[in-house]
């Protein structure tokens, strides 16, 4: 009734169909969740539907009673009907956050998990809501309890039992738990597994806690006083008024009952199940029972599908094929519900079907062994073993594939290396032939360079001899030219000082003295003869005094004398001046002329010096001509010598280059010979290696074919190996042989290839 009220209290409008659906949901939670056998649950659901049809008239029963009946407040502010896919998507997202933050364990959401999550949530949201979760080990009781508590903001509390864990330790944990709930105000979900009940006193304490909210004798003496004082302080801070310790205690117990939720997890397969269910009535009176049982084939298929989704199972499915044909179809149909919406009948579905069927076969064999007269104990298989089977299968397939691919990689690398060696040998042989041709070409080129070097050496020696001969001739000509120049220079050096003295004396003639001479109408004979001599030397024909006076009156008279060049005098002028005015006239000399005129003395001295210098110049002119000719011949000879020397240098440079080229060619030839020798050795060794590994190559090629066979049977081998690792240790030798035979038959019925003679111990 409380569940129905909570669902309809916040609804603005309520249809009769919705009311009938809420009633059916609460009836199933109250009665059906306690039932064990699937047949009992089907009967209960049928009876609920019949009662609904009997008491809820004039409604659409098909709509009101349509399964599944899911109600949750997670997708809205209050409890509302939710669809399976919406709820599944929401819980999947929240579960990802949960296992990242809390557990770090991947979880799978399937239909049965949705049912149990909503059932646990429905209980934990109610005051004094406690759960008794009954199911096989590993079916998700503890994990789902933690998840729902996390979703509702409840803290988790679990005892940490160990070999020395006693009732005293358990009571101390209970005191800590009740302080956190009653004093600190925490909302806690206490998850208590039956394996933590190490004695009868544990269940008695839990039974009392569920029945009355307290454990008799838990808080006594100092513990009780300290608790009351702590709770009084907490109550005062929250504004609660309490006078006596009894009232404080009652309020403390009330808070514990409201904020503490106990979840018992029990395994019905254990031998203590019946005893505990009869000796602890509060477990059933105060707790809502949710019978987890074990996973159905569909649930196991969904788990197997999820955990093998990323597993590389080869290209069998992409290539195509048929699996589970004939007798294997029933096995495939058992897991087909997990593959709705995807292509059914595929290889991955066959793998999941094999995992489920192997687990079911092992459970049946365990039951058969338990009924045997020789059996001393019984093996109970749970979803935890099925998860171990999946884990071992994934691990075996990955490890086998890694080993095979690693071996295949090495073998292929060896075959590739052999093939590459053969190709390299062929390339080396071709290279060896080209090296031989190159060697011949280099050898011929070296001989040609040697011949060119010898020819140029001979020509250079000839040119060098000619250049040396020419150098001697040039040297002799230089000596002769120097001697001739020195001879001419001696005569000039003797005449030049007198000429320079005469020119200096002319420069010193004063204008007054010159004007005095020019003003004479009848000059002294010495003056007249001296000035006539000057006129003749300057090239004048008219020697009359009047003309000479005009000549002297010119402004350039003295400058023309000073700037006079000896080579301007002709031989006729020289002879005339010498015969008439100088050597031919004994009465005329420098002293006499100087006494006659101060101005004419220097002029006479200049004329005398100039004539002598001219005579010297005329006398050495042939010598100068000869020197000029000799210099031209020497220059021509020097040019020829330079040309010869340049030719010799070019030939020597060419010879040096030939030597360098020849040396390089010789080095190339030697290098080619050494390289050809090395290549020949490599070819011989490689051919010897190829011949010696020819049989090994054949064996490696056959190994590659064997690897393909192993990879083709990899999934089937992985299934058998995983089953062997997971279950074989529980049974004796006879049961092991029976299991191996049944496992092989199951895998074979599904059409999954495997090696018939697979040795589990060697693998």
């Amino acid at each position: 009734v409380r569940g129905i009220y909570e669902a309809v209290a916040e609804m603005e409008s309520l249809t009769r169909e919705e009311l009938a659906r809420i009633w059916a949901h609460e009836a199933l939670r109250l009665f059906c969740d306690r039932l064990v056998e699937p047949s009992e649950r089907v009967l209960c659901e049928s009876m609920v539907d019949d009662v609904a049809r009997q008491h809820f008239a004039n409604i659409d029963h098909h709509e009101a009673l349509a399964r599944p009946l899911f109600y949750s407040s997670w997708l809205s502010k209050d409890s509302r009907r939710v669809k399976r896919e919406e709820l599944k998507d929401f819980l999947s997202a929240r579960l990802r956050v949960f296992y990242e933050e809390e557990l770090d364990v991947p979880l799978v959401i399937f239909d049965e998990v949705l049912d149990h999550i909503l059932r646990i949530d429905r209980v934990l949201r109610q005051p004094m809501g406690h759960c008794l979760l009954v199911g096989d080990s590993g079916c998700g009781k503890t994990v789902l309890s933690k998840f729902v508590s996390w979703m509702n903001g409840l803290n988790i509390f679990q005892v940490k039992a160990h070999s020395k864990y006693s009732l005293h330790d358990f009571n101390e944990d209970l005191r800590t738990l009740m302080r956190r709930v009653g004093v600190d105000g925490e909302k806690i979900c206490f998850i208590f597994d039956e394996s933590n009940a190490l004695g009868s006193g544990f269940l008695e304490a839990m039974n009392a806690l569920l029945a009355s909210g307290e454990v008799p004798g838990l808080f006594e003496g100092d513990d009780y006083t300290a608790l009351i004082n702590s709770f009084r302080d907490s109550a005062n801070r929250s504004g609660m008024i309490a006078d006596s310790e009894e009232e404080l205690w009652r309020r403390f117990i009330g808070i514990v009952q409201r904020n503490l939720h106990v979840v018992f997890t029990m395994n019905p397969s254990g031998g203590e199940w019946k005893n505990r269910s009869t000796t602890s009535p509060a477990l059933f009176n105060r707790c809502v029972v949710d019978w987890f049982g074990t996973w159905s084939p569909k649930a196991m298929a969904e788990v197997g599908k999820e955990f093998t989704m990323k597993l590389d199972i080869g290209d069998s499915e992409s290539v195509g094929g048929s699996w589970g044909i004939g007798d294997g179809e029933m096995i495939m149909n058992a897991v087909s519900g997990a593959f709705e919406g995807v292509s059914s009948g595929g290889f991955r579905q066959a793998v999941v079907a094999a995992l489920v069927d192997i687990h079911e076969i092992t459970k049946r064999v365990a039951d058969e062994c338990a009924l045997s007269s020789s059996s001393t104990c019984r093996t109970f298989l749970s979803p935890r073993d099925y998860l171990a089977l999946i884990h071992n299968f994934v691990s075996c397939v990955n490890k086998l594939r890694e080993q095979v691919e690693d071996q295949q990689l090495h073998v292929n690398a060896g075959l590739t290396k052999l093939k590459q060696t053969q190709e390299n040998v062929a390339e080396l042989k071709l290279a060896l032939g080209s090296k031989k041709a190159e060697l011949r070409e280099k050898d011929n080129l070296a001989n040609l360079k040697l011949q060119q070097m010898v020819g140029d050496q001979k020509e250079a020696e000839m040119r060098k001899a000619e250049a040396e001969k020419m150098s001697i001739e040039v040297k002799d000509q230089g000596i002769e030219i120097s001697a001739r120049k020195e001879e001419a220079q001696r005569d000039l050096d003797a005449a030049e000082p007198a000429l320079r003295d005469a020119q200096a004396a002319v420069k010193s003639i004063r204008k007054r003295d010159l004007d005095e001479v020019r003003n004479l109408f009848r000059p002294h004979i010495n003056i007249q003869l001296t000035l006539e001599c000057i006129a003749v030397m300057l090239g004048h024909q008219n020697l009359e005094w009047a003309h000479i006076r005009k000549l002297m009156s010119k402004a350039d008279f003295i400058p023309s004398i000073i700037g006079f060049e000896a080579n301007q005098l002709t031989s006729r002028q020289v002879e005339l001046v010498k015969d008439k005015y100088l050597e031919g006239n004994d009465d005329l000399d420098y002293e006499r002329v100087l006494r006659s005129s101060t101005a004419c003395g220097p002029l006479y001295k200049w004329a005398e010096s100039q004539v002598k210098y001219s005579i010297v110049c005329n006398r050495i002119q042939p010598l100068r001509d000869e020197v000029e000719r000799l210099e031209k011949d020497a220059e021509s000879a020097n040019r020829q010598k330079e040309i010869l020397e340049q030719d010799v240098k070019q030939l020597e440079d060419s010879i040096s280059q030939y030597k360098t080229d020849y040396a390089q060619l010789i080095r190339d030839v030697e290098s080619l010979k050494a390289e050809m020798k090395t290549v020949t050795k490599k070819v011989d060794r490689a051919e010897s290696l190829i011949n010696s590994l020819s049989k090994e190559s054949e064996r490696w090629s056959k190994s590659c074919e064997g690897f393909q066979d192993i990879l083709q049977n990899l999934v089937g081998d992985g299934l058998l190996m995983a089953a062997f690792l997971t279950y074989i240790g529980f049974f004796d030798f006879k049961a092991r042989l029976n299991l191996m035979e049944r496992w092989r038959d199951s895998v074979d019925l599904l059409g999954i290839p495997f090696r018939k003679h697979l040795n589990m111990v060697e693998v």
Side-chain angles (χ1 to χ4, degrees), residues 142-199:
T142 302
V143 172
L144 294 183
S145 299
K146 289 182 178 180
F147 172 66
V148 175
S149 300
W150 177 76
M151 289 285 291
N152 288 285
L154 300 178
N155 295 325
I156 305 298
F157 184 85
Q158 288 178 286
V159 297
K160 298 178 181 179
H162 47 81
S163 59
K164 297 181 180 181
Y165 192 78
S166 63
L167 182 60
H168 174 74
D169 298 324
F170 181 63
N171 289 334
E172 185 61 35
D173 285 338
L174 287 180
R175 281 191 285 269
T176 301
L177 172 64
M178 295 181 70
R179 288 192 192 98
R180 289 175 57 184
V181 176
V183 178
D184 299 335
E186 291 186 46
K187 293 184 177 181
I188 295 179
C189 176
F190 180 21
I191 301 176
F192 186 79
D193 186 72
E194 64 173 347
S195 61
N196 296 328
L198 304 180

Side-chain angles (χ1 to χ4, degrees), residues 64-212:
L65 302 176
R67 303 299 192 269
L69 298 174
F70 286 161
Y71 280 85
S72 174
S73 61
W74 284 332
L75 301 179
S76 59
K77 295 181 180 180
D78 50 8
S79 295
R80 287 287 186 271
R81 176 182 177 181
V82 293
K83 296 180 180 179
R84 184 190 302 273
E85 294 303 323
E86 294 177 351
L87 183 61
K88 195 170 186 178
D89 293 341
F90 172 78
L91 290 178
S92 297
R94 299 302 297 164
L95 271 173
R96 282 194 295 271
V97 178
F98 172 68
Y99 71 67
E100 288 175 358
E101 293 181 355
E102 301 293 333
L103 288 182
D104 195 21
V105 176
L107 303 176
V108 181
I109 294 293
F110 49 90
D111 294 345
E112 294 179 9
V113 168
L114 295 178
D115 292 335
H116 293 303
I117 287 177
L118 292 180
R119 293 170 189 173
I120 298 172
D121 175 66
R122 173 178 171 273
V123 174
L124 295 184
R125 284 190 293 107
Q126 296 177 1
M128 302 176 64
H130 309 293
C131 288
L132 173 60
L133 308 182
V134 185
D136 289 347
S137 175
C139 65
K141 304 184 296 294
T142 302
V143 172
L144 294 183
S145 299
K146 289 182 178 180
F147 172 66
V148 175
S149 300
W150 177 76
M151 289 285 291
N152 288 285
L154 300 178
N155 295 325
I156 305 298
F157 184 85
Q158 288 178 286
V159 297
K160 298 178 181 179
H162 47 81
S163 59
K164 297 181 180 181
Y165 192 78
S166 63
L167 182 60
H168 174 74
D169 298 324
F170 181 63
N171 289 334
E172 185 61 35
D173 285 338
L174 287 180
R175 281 191 285 269
T176 301
L177 172 64
M178 295 181 70
R179 288 192 192 98
R180 289 175 57 184
V181 176
V183 178
D184 299 335
E186 291 186 46
K187 293 184 177 181
I188 295 179
C189 176
F190 180 21
I191 301 176
F192 186 79
D193 186 72
E194 64 173 347
S195 61
N196 296 328
L198 304 180
S200 59
F202 288 75
L203 285 180
E204 291 175 1
M206 292 302 299
N207 193 51
L209 180 63
L210 290 173
S212 60

Side-chain angles (χ1 to χ4, degrees), residues 191-262:
I191 301 176
F192 186 79
D193 186 72
E194 64 173 347
S195 61
N196 296 328
L198 304 180
S200 59
F202 288 75
L203 285 180
E204 291 175 1
M206 292 302 299
N207 193 51
L209 180 63
L210 290 173
S212 60
E214 61 176 314
V215 178
L218 187 63
F219 289 97
E220 291 181 343
D222 294 338
D223 291 334
Y224 178 79
T225 303
L227 175 66
I228 293 299
N229 292 333
S230 299
F231 184 71
R232 180 181 289 110
D233 295 338
S234 176
N236 292 334
R237 285 195 299 270
S238 61
M240 184 186 302
I241 299 175
D243 297 330
S244 62
E245 292 184 356
E246 289 76 8
E247 185 177 357
L248 288 172
W249 176 254
R250 285 195 303 273
R251 293 191 177 184
F252 171 77
I253 296 302
I255 293 175
V256 170
Q257 289 178 322
R258 287 195 304 273
N259 292 341
L260 178 63
H261 301 274
V262 179

Side-chain angles (χ1 to χ4, degrees), residues 519-685:
N519 293 328
L520 295 174
F521 290 99
R522 291 183 180 182
H524 191 275
I525 187 63
N526 292 337
I527 295 173
Q528 186 173 355
L529 290 175
T530 298
L531 293 175
E532 286 179 4
C533 177
I534 296 300
V536 171
M537 291 177 67
L538 293 177
H540 295 278
Q541 299 293 330
N542 190 354
L543 301 179
E544 293 181 359
W545 177 249
H547 179 73
I548 292 173
R549 289 179 64 191
K550 290 180 181 180
L551 178 63
M552 293 175 62
S553 62
K554 292 182 179 180
D556 61 345
F557 176 69
I558 296 300
S560 63
I561 294 173
I562 294 173
F564 188 80
E565 294 291 340
N567 56 6
Q568 294 179 2
L569 293 174
T570 63
S571 57
R572 180 175 174 278
Q573 288 174 320
V574 171
E575 291 296 330
L576 176 61
V577 170
K578 185 173 69 171
D579 294 339
K580 185 177 180 179
Y581 301 106
L582 298 179
E583 295 178 2
N585 191 348
D586 295 333
D587 295 332
L588 191 63
D589 57 17
Y590 172 69
E591 296 295 336
R592 292 174 181 173
V593 174
L594 182 61
R595 285 195 298 269
S596 300
S597 174
T598 306
C600 290
L603 292 175
Y604 179 84
K605 187 177 182 180
W606 172 82
E608 186 179 21
S609 300
Q610 195 68 255
V611 169
K612 289 180 180 181
Y613 187 78
S614 178
I615 292 171
V616 172
C617 287
N618 291 333
R619 187 175 70 249
I620 67 172
Q621 186 62 39
L623 185 60
R624 285 182 172 178
D625 295 340
E626 184 180 0
V627 169
E628 184 177 357
R629 179 182 59 78
L630 289 173
E631 286 180 345
K632 289 181 179 179
D633 294 343
E635 184 178 357
S636 176
N638 197 29
R639 283 198 300 270
Q640 286 185 336
K641 187 191 77 168
E642 290 178 354
I643 292 172
L644 287 173
E645 289 177 348
Q646 186 175 1
D647 292 343
V648 170
K649 185 177 183 306
Q650 290 178 352
L651 288 171
E652 289 178 348
D653 292 342
S654 178
I655 291 169
S656 177
Q657 185 63 40
Y658 285 151
K659 288 181 179 179
T660 303
D661 295 343
Y662 180 74
Q664 182 63 41
L665 288 170
I666 293 300
R667 286 195 295 270
D668 292 344
V669 168
E670 295 300 324
S671 176
L672 283 172
K673 288 181 180 179
E675 188 175 352
M676 288 174 62
K677 185 177 180 181
T678 303
V679 171
T680 303
K681 289 183 179 179
K682 285 184 179 179
V683 170
D684 294 340
R685 287 199 300 266

Side-chain angles (χ1 to χ4, degrees), residues 490-505:
R490 281 196 301 271
D491 294 339
L492 290 175
D493 291 343
E496 280 182 353
L499 179 62
R500 286 195 293 271
D501 291 343
Q503 288 176 345

